[in-house]
Amino acid sequence: QVQLVESGGGLVQPGGSLRLSCAASGNIFSRLSMAWYRQAPGKEREGVATITSGGNANYADSVKGRFTISRDSAKNTVSLQMNSLKPEDTAAYYCNAHERFTTRTYWGQGTQVTVSS
C-alpha cells in the first residue's frame, strides 16, 4: 500500500509560480510511475504531467513549456513546478502513482491551486 500526500497549493496571481510536492510512503518508489492530474469545477479530471520510474516526462499540451515534473528517489517525492500560471490552471491538483507491472494505482487527497488577481 502506498499513501500519497500533496502540499504546496494556494492562491497566486496570473503569471506567478507555485511548486507542488507529493510524498509517497513505502519502499517501492522506484517501481512507481508518477503523475499529476487536475480537476476544475464542473470538468473531468485531466492528466497534467507524468514521469516514469526512469525519469521520462510527458506533459499535456496546455502546460508544455510552463510546468515541469521531477522526482527525487532519495526523498520519495515528485514535484510539479508551475510557472506563468493562468486563471484556467485553477483546479484541485492530485498526485497519482502507478505501480509497474501491476494494475495498482494510488491517489493523493488533492491540493487546491487558484490563479486569480
Side-chain angles (χ1 to χ4, degrees):
Q1 187 74 12
V2 174
Q3 291 186 324
L4 304 174
V5 179
E6 301 106 330
S7 60
L11 172 64
V12 64
Q13 292 187 341
S17 297
L18 277 177
R19 185 178 181 87
L20 305 182
S21 292
C22 172
S25 66
N27 59 359
I28 63 168
F29 190 74
S30 63
R31 301 204 304 267
L32 299 176
S33 290
M34 305 297 296
W36 287 95
Y37 285 74
R38 67 185 181 186
Q39 188 167 19
K43 295 188 176 181
E44 293 187 354
R45 191 171 296 190
E46 63 175 356
V48 174
T50 63
I51 187 165
T52 67
S53 56
N56 293 315
N58 282 286
Y59 301 91
D61 287 343
S62 59
V63 306
K64 278 182 181 176
R66 300 188 297 123
F67 290 11
T68 302
I69 189 171
S70 61
R71 62 190 291 156
D72 185 335
S73 296
K75 298 181 179 179
N76 283 10
T77 59
V78 61
S79 298
L80 186 68
Q81 178 65 42
M82 306 185 293
N83 298 329
S84 302
L85 283 162
K86 305 175 181 179
E88 50 264 43
D89 294 318
T90 295
Y93 282 71
Y94 296 89
C95 180
N96 168 274
H98 172 70
E99 190 176 344
R100 289 174 61 191
F101 310 122
T102 77
T103 59
R104 287 188 285 271
T105 301
Y106 309 93
W107 291 93
Q109 81 287 353
T111 186
Q112 180 66 35
V113 172
T114 302
V115 185
S116 174
S117 55

